[in-house]
Amino acid sequence: MRIGAPAHSVSGDHISLEFYAALKNGNDKKNNLQRTLQNFIETLQKNLSTSDILNVGGNNLDLESGADKLARLYGLADYFEYASEMASSFGCVAENFFEVAKNESVNLLQKLRQVPSAQRYLPTKVKMRLTDYFAEMEYFHVMLSEVIDEALEYIVDTLRSTQTIFMRYADVQREILRMWNLRLDDWCINAYVDFLQFWSTEIFKCASRKDLSVAYDVYATTETTTTHIMRQLEFRIQRLYNCFIFGGYQIR
């Protein structure tokens, strides 16, 4: 038996543009950080260079003035500062995306609850099923929020640690160049380059290897799962609406 369609139409698009914008921004910042750190150690060991940021090593140093040598050495500190900023930026947009996702889940659940509101009459059996259905969806939302919070805590803590290590190492490098009055003859420069190659590699490994790789995976998995759930909620809104349109109550 058909009870009667809602008095208002329901669009098939319920996920906000804000959610998709936050999703894209998060992926862009993650990719920026990954590109910044990609192949750093291999390039560093080759000639203490990081793409266009720094080009120290080989015979180039012998041909440059003292100011040019220092400028190139400062470039490594600039790289670590830039990497620190990229880690911070990714952490901020990751936090924003997951906050938007939790709010989006609340908004979609509210839309889901509003679908039956246009019905002038609902059988008691249908009301009971809807009550159970909405309770199940609310519980699912709570579980999703807890998963997001745990994932976000790990991601933000890892990125904050990476950011801090990179920035402090950049500060140490600049302090050495500013305050230690580094002699610019070949022996001193080569000795300092050897020092930078070793410790830059160690610092980089410490800050960006295992934990950061796990953070990437946690973000990607949680982001994919969250997006899938949002689309499922969108689908359920439309399906519940169709239940009233066609008078069938198979809402699961």
mmCIF file of all heavy atoms in Angstrom, residues 15-60:
data_model
loop_
_atom_site.group_PDB
_atom_site.id
_atom_site.type_symbol
_atom_site.label_atom_id
_atom_site.label_comp_id
_atom_site.label_asym_id
_atom_site.label_seq_id
_atom_site.Cartn_x
_atom_site.Cartn_y
_atom_site.Cartn_z
ATOM 1 N N ILE A 15 25.891 15.895 -0.359
ATOM 2 C CA ILE A 15 27.208 16.188 0.205
ATOM 3 C C ILE A 15 27.615 17.593 -0.221
ATOM 4 O O ILE A 15 27.534 17.950 -1.396
ATOM 5 C CB ILE A 15 28.248 15.162 -0.262
ATOM 6 C CG1 ILE A 15 27.830 13.747 0.176
ATOM 7 C CG2 ILE A 15 29.619 15.490 0.292
ATOM 8 C CD1 ILE A 15 28.742 12.649 -0.343
ATOM 9 N N SER A 16 28.071 18.387 0.735
ATOM 10 C CA SER A 16 28.351 19.797 0.466
ATOM 11 C C SER A 16 29.623 19.981 -0.355
ATOM 12 O O SER A 16 30.525 19.136 -0.355
ATOM 13 C CB SER A 16 28.489 20.560 1.788
ATOM 14 O OG SER A 16 29.672 20.165 2.459
ATOM 15 N N LEU A 17 29.699 21.127 -1.027
ATOM 16 C CA LEU A 17 30.915 21.487 -1.759
ATOM 17 C C LEU A 17 32.079 21.705 -0.801
ATOM 18 O O LEU A 17 33.242 21.482 -1.163
ATOM 19 C CB LEU A 17 30.663 22.754 -2.586
ATOM 20 C CG LEU A 17 29.650 22.629 -3.723
ATOM 21 C CD1 LEU A 17 29.472 23.973 -4.422
ATOM 22 C CD2 LEU A 17 30.087 21.561 -4.732
ATOM 23 N N GLU A 18 31.772 22.140 0.416
ATOM 24 C CA GLU A 18 32.824 22.340 1.422
ATOM 25 C C GLU A 18 33.548 21.032 1.716
ATOM 26 O O GLU A 18 34.776 21.008 1.877
ATOM 27 C CB GLU A 18 32.223 22.896 2.711
ATOM 28 C CG GLU A 18 33.263 23.161 3.799
ATOM 29 C CD GLU A 18 32.649 23.585 5.119
ATOM 30 O OE1 GLU A 18 31.405 23.525 5.245
ATOM 31 O OE2 GLU A 18 33.404 23.971 6.026
ATOM 32 N N PHE A 19 32.799 19.932 1.776
ATOM 33 C CA PHE A 19 33.418 18.631 2.029
ATOM 34 C C PHE A 19 34.377 18.270 0.902
ATOM 35 O O PHE A 19 35.520 17.863 1.150
ATOM 36 C CB PHE A 19 32.341 17.558 2.172
ATOM 37 C CG PHE A 19 32.899 16.165 2.317
ATOM 38 C CD1 PHE A 19 33.321 15.695 3.549
ATOM 39 C CD2 PHE A 19 33.018 15.327 1.209
ATOM 40 C CE1 PHE A 19 33.851 14.416 3.685
ATOM 41 C CE2 PHE A 19 33.542 14.053 1.332
ATOM 42 C CZ PHE A 19 33.956 13.597 2.578
ATOM 43 N N TYR A 20 33.935 18.425 -0.336
ATOM 44 C CA TYR A 20 34.793 18.063 -1.470
ATOM 45 C C TYR A 20 36.005 18.994 -1.576
ATOM 46 O O TYR A 20 37.098 18.562 -1.965
ATOM 47 C CB TYR A 20 33.984 18.084 -2.763
ATOM 48 C CG TYR A 20 33.052 16.903 -2.901
ATOM 49 C CD1 TYR A 20 31.673 17.070 -2.923
ATOM 50 C CD2 TYR A 20 33.559 15.608 -2.991
ATOM 51 C CE1 TYR A 20 30.820 15.979 -3.042
ATOM 52 C CE2 TYR A 20 32.711 14.514 -3.110
ATOM 53 C CZ TYR A 20 31.344 14.704 -3.133
ATOM 54 O OH TYR A 20 30.508 13.619 -3.245
ATOM 55 N N ALA A 21 35.822 20.270 -1.222
ATOM 56 C CA ALA A 21 36.953 21.203 -1.239
ATOM 57 C C ALA A 21 37.985 20.819 -0.182
ATOM 58 O O ALA A 21 39.200 20.841 -0.436
ATOM 59 C CB ALA A 21 36.459 22.629 -1.003
ATOM 60 N N ALA A 22 37.507 20.457 1.017
ATOM 61 C CA ALA A 22 38.420 20.041 2.090
ATOM 62 C C ALA A 22 39.123 18.740 1.719
ATOM 63 O O ALA A 22 40.309 18.549 2.029
ATOM 64 C CB ALA A 22 37.646 19.874 3.396
ATOM 65 N N LEU A 23 38.402 17.845 1.055
ATOM 66 C CA LEU A 23 38.986 16.580 0.597
ATOM 67 C C LEU A 23 40.120 16.834 -0.394
ATOM 68 O O LEU A 23 41.221 16.276 -0.264
ATOM 69 C CB LEU A 23 37.893 15.728 -0.051
ATOM 70 C CG LEU A 23 38.328 14.439 -0.751
ATOM 71 C CD1 LEU A 23 38.898 13.451 0.254
ATOM 72 C CD2 LEU A 23 37.142 13.814 -1.497
ATOM 73 N N LYS A 24 39.878 17.692 -1.371
ATOM 74 C CA LYS A 24 40.901 18.000 -2.374
ATOM 75 C C LYS A 24 42.101 18.706 -1.745
ATOM 76 O O LYS A 24 43.260 18.386 -2.056
ATOM 77 C CB LYS A 24 40.300 18.881 -3.474
ATOM 78 C CG LYS A 24 41.296 19.229 -4.586
ATOM 79 C CD LYS A 24 40.659 20.098 -5.647
ATOM 80 C CE LYS A 24 41.631 20.358 -6.802
ATOM 81 N NZ LYS A 24 42.888 20.988 -6.360
ATOM 82 N N ASN A 25 41.830 19.641 -0.855
ATOM 83 C CA ASN A 25 42.913 20.385 -0.217
ATOM 84 C C ASN A 25 43.807 19.458 0.605
ATOM 85 O O ASN A 25 45.036 19.575 0.586
ATOM 86 C CB ASN A 25 42.327 21.478 0.677
ATOM 87 C CG ASN A 25 43.340 22.550 1.020
ATOM 88 O OD1 ASN A 25 44.327 22.749 0.315
ATOM 89 N ND2 ASN A 25 43.098 23.251 2.108
ATOM 90 N N GLY A 26 43.193 18.509 1.312
ATOM 91 C CA GLY A 26 43.966 17.555 2.096
ATOM 92 C C GLY A 26 44.868 16.697 1.234
ATOM 93 O O GLY A 26 46.054 16.500 1.545
ATOM 94 N N ASN A 27 44.336 16.190 0.136
ATOM 95 C CA ASN A 27 45.145 15.367 -0.768
ATOM 96 C C ASN A 27 46.262 16.180 -1.415
ATOM 97 O O ASN A 27 47.387 15.689 -1.589
ATOM 98 C CB ASN A 27 44.259 14.743 -1.846
ATOM 99 C CG ASN A 27 43.455 13.571 -1.325
ATOM 100 O OD1 ASN A 27 43.925 12.825 -0.476
ATOM 101 N ND2 ASN A 27 42.243 13.411 -1.816
ATOM 102 N N ASP A 28 45.964 17.428 -1.773
ATOM 103 C CA ASP A 28 46.988 18.283 -2.386
ATOM 104 C C ASP A 28 48.147 18.529 -1.419
ATOM 105 O O ASP A 28 49.323 18.452 -1.807
ATOM 106 C CB ASP A 28 46.381 19.619 -2.812
ATOM 107 C CG ASP A 28 45.486 19.495 -4.033
ATOM 108 O OD1 ASP A 28 45.529 18.434 -4.698
ATOM 109 O OD2 ASP A 28 44.730 20.449 -4.317
ATOM 110 N N LYS A 29 47.834 18.834 -0.160
ATOM 111 C CA LYS A 29 48.886 19.113 0.818
ATOM 112 C C LYS A 29 49.692 17.858 1.145
ATOM 113 O O LYS A 29 50.912 17.931 1.346
ATOM 114 C CB LYS A 29 48.276 19.690 2.094
ATOM 115 C CG LYS A 29 47.623 21.046 1.912
ATOM 116 C CD LYS A 29 48.611 22.099 1.446
ATOM 117 C CE LYS A 29 47.951 23.464 1.348
ATOM 118 N NZ LYS A 29 48.889 24.507 0.845
ATOM 119 N N LYS A 30 49.023 16.719 1.198
ATOM 120 C CA LYS A 30 49.749 15.462 1.431
ATOM 121 C C LYS A 30 50.716 15.197 0.280
ATOM 122 O O LYS A 30 51.882 14.835 0.503
ATOM 123 C CB LYS A 30 48.770 14.298 1.575
ATOM 124 C CG LYS A 30 49.460 12.939 1.774
ATOM 125 C CD LYS A 30 48.454 11.844 2.065
ATOM 126 C CE LYS A 30 47.643 11.466 0.859
ATOM 127 N NZ LYS A 30 48.471 10.719 -0.147
ATOM 128 N N ASN A 31 50.250 15.390 -0.947
ATOM 129 C CA ASN A 31 51.105 15.169 -2.111
ATOM 130 C C ASN A 31 52.268 16.159 -2.148
ATOM 131 O O ASN A 31 53.386 15.804 -2.547
ATOM 132 C CB ASN A 31 50.279 15.276 -3.395
ATOM 133 C CG ASN A 31 49.278 14.140 -3.536
ATOM 134 O OD1 ASN A 31 49.463 13.062 -2.964
ATOM 135 N ND2 ASN A 31 48.215 14.368 -4.281
ATOM 136 N N ASN A 32 52.019 17.402 -1.735
ATOM 137 C CA ASN A 32 53.090 18.400 -1.691
ATOM 138 C C ASN A 32 54.194 17.981 -0.726
ATOM 139 O O ASN A 32 55.389 18.101 -1.038
ATOM 140 C CB ASN A 32 52.533 19.761 -1.264
ATOM 141 C CG ASN A 32 51.732 20.437 -2.353
ATOM 142 O OD1 ASN A 32 51.812 20.047 -3.527
ATOM 143 N ND2 ASN A 32 50.954 21.442 -1.998
ATOM 144 N N LEU A 33 53.799 17.492 0.448
ATOM 145 C CA LEU A 33 54.792 17.050 1.429
ATOM 146 C C LEU A 33 55.563 15.845 0.907
ATOM 147 O O LEU A 33 56.795 15.783 1.033
ATOM 148 C CB LEU A 33 54.109 16.707 2.752
ATOM 149 C CG LEU A 33 55.023 16.175 3.865
ATOM 150 C CD1 LEU A 33 56.117 17.184 4.208
ATOM 151 C CD2 LEU A 33 54.216 15.831 5.114
ATOM 152 N N GLN A 34 54.861 14.899 0.304
ATOM 153 C CA GLN A 34 55.537 13.714 -0.224
ATOM 154 C C GLN A 34 56.522 14.085 -1.328
ATOM 155 O O GLN A 34 57.629 13.548 -1.379
ATOM 156 C CB GLN A 34 54.500 12.713 -0.742
ATOM 157 C CG GLN A 34 53.719 12.025 0.366
ATOM 158 C CD GLN A 34 52.653 11.086 -0.161
ATOM 159 O OE1 GLN A 34 51.818 11.475 -0.979
ATOM 160 N NE2 GLN A 34 52.674 9.851 0.292
ATOM 161 N N ARG A 35 56.136 15.003 -2.204
ATOM 162 C CA ARG A 35 57.050 15.433 -3.271
ATOM 163 C C ARG A 35 58.263 16.158 -2.694
ATOM 164 O O ARG A 35 59.387 16.005 -3.187
ATOM 165 C CB ARG A 35 56.317 16.347 -4.258
ATOM 166 C CG ARG A 35 55.437 15.620 -5.249
ATOM 167 C CD ARG A 35 55.040 16.537 -6.399
ATOM 168 N NE ARG A 35 54.258 17.668 -5.933
ATOM 169 C CZ ARG A 35 52.930 17.684 -5.871
ATOM 170 N NH1 ARG A 35 52.238 16.617 -6.219
ATOM 171 N NH2 ARG A 35 52.297 18.760 -5.450
ATOM 172 N N THR A 36 58.043 16.952 -1.648
ATOM 173 C CA THR A 36 59.139 17.693 -1.031
ATOM 174 C C THR A 36 60.199 16.750 -0.461
ATOM 175 O O THR A 36 61.403 17.022 -0.550
ATOM 176 C CB THR A 36 58.595 18.600 0.093
ATOM 177 O OG1 THR A 36 57.663 19.535 -0.461
ATOM 178 C CG2 THR A 36 59.719 19.371 0.774
ATOM 179 N N LEU A 37 59.754 15.644 0.115
ATOM 180 C CA LEU A 37 60.677 14.727 0.788
ATOM 181 C C LEU A 37 61.174 13.599 -0.109
ATOM 182 O O LEU A 37 62.082 12.860 0.277
ATOM 183 C CB LEU A 37 59.989 14.118 2.020
ATOM 184 C CG LEU A 37 59.467 15.113 3.060
ATOM 185 C CD1 LEU A 37 58.835 14.377 4.231
ATOM 186 C CD2 LEU A 37 60.572 16.038 3.547
ATOM 187 N N GLN A 38 60.597 13.467 -1.285
ATOM 188 C CA GLN A 38 60.913 12.331 -2.151
ATOM 189 C C GLN A 38 62.376 12.353 -2.604
ATOM 190 O O GLN A 38 62.900 13.378 -3.034
ATOM 191 C CB GLN A 38 59.998 12.347 -3.379
ATOM 192 C CG GLN A 38 60.098 11.099 -4.231
ATOM 193 C CD GLN A 38 59.079 11.122 -5.354
ATOM 194 O OE1 GLN A 38 58.564 12.171 -5.720
ATOM 195 N NE2 GLN A 38 58.781 9.961 -5.900
ATOM 196 N N ASN A 39 63.023 11.223 -2.474
ATOM 197 C CA ASN A 39 64.393 11.018 -2.966
ATOM 198 C C ASN A 39 65.410 11.978 -2.347
ATOM 199 O O ASN A 39 66.475 12.219 -2.918
ATOM 200 C CB ASN A 39 64.454 11.158 -4.495
ATOM 201 C CG ASN A 39 63.584 10.135 -5.192
ATOM 202 O OD1 ASN A 39 63.457 9.002 -4.732
ATOM 203 N ND2 ASN A 39 62.977 10.527 -6.291
ATOM 204 N N PHE A 40 65.091 12.520 -1.164
ATOM 205 C CA PHE A 40 66.007 13.488 -0.555
ATOM 206 C C PHE A 40 67.364 12.867 -0.242
ATOM 207 O O PHE A 40 68.414 13.431 -0.555
ATOM 208 C CB PHE A 40 65.393 14.057 0.727
ATOM 209 C CG PHE A 40 66.367 14.848 1.554
ATOM 210 C CD1 PHE A 40 66.720 16.133 1.187
ATOM 211 C CD2 PHE A 40 66.953 14.298 2.685
ATOM 212 C CE1 PHE A 40 67.627 16.866 1.937
ATOM 213 C CE2 PHE A 40 67.854 15.023 3.442
ATOM 214 C CZ PHE A 40 68.192 16.310 3.064
ATOM 215 N N ILE A 41 67.366 11.705 0.389
ATOM 216 C CA ILE A 41 68.626 11.113 0.841
ATOM 217 C C ILE A 41 69.526 10.774 -0.340
ATOM 218 O O ILE A 41 70.736 11.026 -0.314
ATOM 219 C CB ILE A 41 68.354 9.862 1.697
ATOM 220 C CG1 ILE A 41 67.698 10.282 3.018
ATOM 221 C CG2 ILE A 41 69.642 9.097 1.970
ATOM 222 C CD1 ILE A 41 67.342 9.121 3.919
ATOM 223 N N GLU A 42 68.938 10.199 -1.404
ATOM 224 C CA GLU A 42 69.744 9.849 -2.570
ATOM 225 C C GLU A 42 70.407 11.087 -3.169
ATOM 226 O O GLU A 42 71.594 11.077 -3.517
ATOM 227 C CB GLU A 42 68.874 9.161 -3.623
ATOM 228 C CG GLU A 42 68.391 7.771 -3.235
ATOM 229 C CD GLU A 42 67.196 7.784 -2.302
ATOM 230 O OE1 GLU A 42 66.739 8.888 -1.941
ATOM 231 O OE2 GLU A 42 66.726 6.699 -1.934
ATOM 232 N N THR A 43 69.654 12.158 -3.270
ATOM 233 C CA THR A 43 70.201 13.393 -3.826
ATOM 234 C C THR A 43 71.242 13.999 -2.896
ATOM 235 O O THR A 43 72.282 14.497 -3.335
ATOM 236 C CB THR A 43 69.067 14.411 -4.063
ATOM 237 O OG1 THR A 43 68.051 13.794 -4.849
ATOM 238 C CG2 THR A 43 69.580 15.643 -4.782
ATOM 239 N N LEU A 44 70.970 13.953 -1.605
ATOM 240 C CA LEU A 44 71.904 14.501 -0.625
ATOM 241 C C LEU A 44 73.240 13.782 -0.677
ATOM 242 O O LEU A 44 74.305 14.406 -0.683
ATOM 243 C CB LEU A 44 71.301 14.391 0.775
ATOM 244 C CG LEU A 44 72.183 14.890 1.927
ATOM 245 C CD1 LEU A 44 72.244 16.407 1.914
ATOM 246 C CD2 LEU A 44 71.649 14.393 3.262
ATOM 247 N N GLN A 45 73.202 12.452 -0.717
ATOM 248 C CA GLN A 45 74.437 11.679 -0.736
ATOM 249 C C GLN A 45 75.222 11.912 -2.026
ATOM 250 O O GLN A 45 76.448 11.805 -2.046
ATOM 251 C CB GLN A 45 74.124 10.180 -0.588
ATOM 252 C CG GLN A 45 73.510 9.802 0.750
ATOM 253 C CD GLN A 45 74.487 9.952 1.907
ATOM 254 O OE1 GLN A 45 75.618 10.372 1.730
ATOM 255 N NE2 GLN A 45 74.038 9.605 3.099
ATOM 256 N N LYS A 46 74.518 12.254 -3.079
ATOM 257 C CA LYS A 46 75.193 12.461 -4.363
ATOM 258 C C LYS A 46 76.003 13.745 -4.363
ATOM 259 O O LYS A 46 77.178 13.758 -4.717
ATOM 260 C CB LYS A 46 74.159 12.476 -5.488
ATOM 261 C CG LYS A 46 74.766 12.645 -6.876
ATOM 262 C CD LYS A 46 73.665 12.614 -7.926
ATOM 263 C CE LYS A 46 74.254 12.807 -9.314
ATOM 264 N NZ LYS A 46 73.193 12.803 -10.352
ATOM 265 N N ASN A 47 75.369 14.852 -3.979
ATOM 266 C CA ASN A 47 76.110 16.120 -4.031
ATOM 267 C C ASN A 47 75.587 17.170 -3.060
ATOM 268 O O ASN A 47 75.751 18.360 -3.291
ATOM 269 C CB ASN A 47 76.106 16.693 -5.453
ATOM 270 C CG ASN A 47 74.712 17.044 -5.918
ATOM 271 O OD1 ASN A 47 73.733 16.771 -5.229
ATOM 272 N ND2 ASN A 47 74.610 17.656 -7.090
ATOM 273 N N LEU A 48 74.957 16.727 -1.972
ATOM 274 C CA LEU A 48 74.411 17.650 -0.977
ATOM 275 C C LEU A 48 73.514 18.686 -1.646
ATOM 276 O O LEU A 48 73.634 19.880 -1.444
ATOM 277 C CB LEU A 48 75.514 18.363 -0.189
ATOM 278 C CG LEU A 48 75.063 19.104 1.085
ATOM 279 C CD1 LEU A 48 74.437 18.144 2.073
ATOM 280 C CD2 LEU A 48 76.225 19.834 1.723
ATOM 281 N N SER A 49 72.627 18.212 -2.487
ATOM 282 C CA SER A 49 71.711 19.123 -3.161
ATOM 283 C C SER A 49 70.297 18.615 -3.020
ATOM 284 O O SER A 49 70.067 17.428 -2.852
ATOM 285 C CB SER A 49 72.057 19.257 -4.647
ATOM 286 O OG SER A 49 71.812 18.046 -5.310
ATOM 287 N N THR A 50 69.360 19.543 -3.068
ATOM 288 C CA THR A 50 67.953 19.183 -3.064
ATOM 289 C C THR A 50 67.277 19.954 -4.185
ATOM 290 O O THR A 50 66.814 21.069 -3.995
ATOM 291 C CB THR A 50 67.288 19.535 -1.726
ATOM 292 O OG1 THR A 50 67.555 20.902 -1.437
ATOM 293 C CG2 THR A 50 67.819 18.682 -0.607
ATOM 294 N N SER A 51 67.303 19.341 -5.369
ATOM 295 C CA SER A 51 66.694 19.943 -6.543
ATOM 296 C C SER A 51 67.270 21.339 -6.756
ATOM 297 O O SER A 51 68.482 21.526 -6.746
ATOM 298 C CB SER A 51 65.172 19.976 -6.380
ATOM 299 O OG SER A 51 64.562 20.405 -7.558
ATOM 300 N N ASP A 52 66.400 22.344 -6.902
ATOM 301 C CA ASP A 52 66.869 23.704 -7.154
ATOM 302 C C ASP A 52 67.157 24.467 -5.874
ATOM 303 O O ASP A 52 67.645 25.589 -5.911
ATOM 304 C CB ASP A 52 65.814 24.480 -7.958
ATOM 305 C CG ASP A 52 65.626 23.883 -9.336
ATOM 306 O OD1 ASP A 52 66.592 23.313 -9.858
ATOM 307 O OD2 ASP A 52 64.513 23.982 -9.869
ATOM 308 N N ILE A 53 66.839 23.862 -4.729
ATOM 309 C CA ILE A 53 66.996 24.588 -3.473
ATOM 310 C C ILE A 53 68.463 24.731 -3.096
ATOM 311 O O ILE A 53 68.904 25.745 -2.591
ATOM 312 C CB ILE A 53 66.226 23.872 -2.346
ATOM 313 C CG1 ILE A 53 64.739 23.839 -2.697
ATOM 314 C CG2 ILE A 53 66.432 24.564 -1.014
ATOM 315 C CD1 ILE A 53 63.915 23.074 -1.705
ATOM 316 N N LEU A 54 69.259 23.683 -3.343
ATOM 317 C CA LEU A 54 70.655 23.705 -2.920
ATOM 318 C C LEU A 54 71.503 22.973 -3.946
ATOM 319 O O LEU A 54 71.093 21.979 -4.494
ATOM 320 C CB LEU A 54 70.794 23.022 -1.551
ATOM 321 C CG LEU A 54 72.171 23.041 -0.899
ATOM 322 C CD1 LEU A 54 72.566 24.463 -0.556
ATOM 323 C CD2 LEU A 54 72.161 22.204 0.365
ATOM 324 N N ASN A 55 72.704 23.457 -4.202
ATOM 325 C CA ASN A 55 73.599 22.788 -5.142
ATOM 326 C C ASN A 55 75.032 22.973 -4.666
ATOM 327 O O ASN A 55 75.797 23.747 -5.219
ATOM 328 C CB ASN A 55 73.422 23.343 -6.553
ATOM 329 C CG ASN A 55 74.213 22.535 -7.566
ATOM 330 O OD1 ASN A 55 74.612 21.406 -7.292
ATOM 331 N ND2 ASN A 55 74.436 23.112 -8.732
ATOM 332 N N VAL A 56 75.390 22.247 -3.605
ATOM 333 C CA VAL A 56 76.715 22.339 -3.009
ATOM 334 C C VAL A 56 77.464 21.058 -3.302
ATOM 335 O O VAL A 56 76.903 19.985 -3.264
ATOM 336 C CB VAL A 56 76.612 22.535 -1.482
ATOM 337 C CG1 VAL A 56 77.995 22.547 -0.858
ATOM 338 C CG2 VAL A 56 75.894 23.825 -1.181
ATOM 339 N N GLY A 57 78.762 21.151 -3.550
ATOM 340 C CA GLY A 57 79.562 19.951 -3.728
ATOM 341 C C GLY A 57 80.391 19.998 -4.989
ATOM 342 O O GLY A 57 80.242 20.874 -5.839
ATOM 343 N N GLY A 58 81.267 19.038 -5.122
ATOM 344 C CA GLY A 58 82.090 18.949 -6.313
ATOM 345 C C GLY A 58 83.021 20.137 -6.442
ATOM 346 O O GLY A 58 83.440 20.752 -5.468
ATOM 347 N N ASN A 59 83.334 20.513 -7.674
ATOM 348 C CA ASN A 59 84.269 21.602 -7.919
ATOM 349 C C ASN A 59 83.606 22.969 -7.907
ATOM 350 O O ASN A 59 84.292 23.985 -7.956
ATOM 351 C CB ASN A 59 84.968 21.395 -9.273
ATOM 352 C CG ASN A 59 85.833 20.149 -9.267
ATOM 353 O OD1 ASN A 59 86.453 19.836 -8.253
ATOM 354 N ND2 ASN A 59 85.875 19.441 -10.392
ATOM 355 N N ASN A 60 82.275 23.002 -7.848
ATOM 356 C CA ASN A 60 81.603 24.298 -7.895
ATOM 357 C C ASN A 60 82.026 25.197 -6.746
ATOM 358 O O ASN A 60 82.156 26.402 -6.896
ATOM 359 C CB ASN A 60 80.084 24.108 -7.860
ATOM 360 C CG ASN A 60 79.565 23.467 -9.135
ATOM 361 O OD1 ASN A 60 80.204 23.565 -10.174
ATOM 362 N ND2 ASN A 60 78.427 22.812 -9.049
#
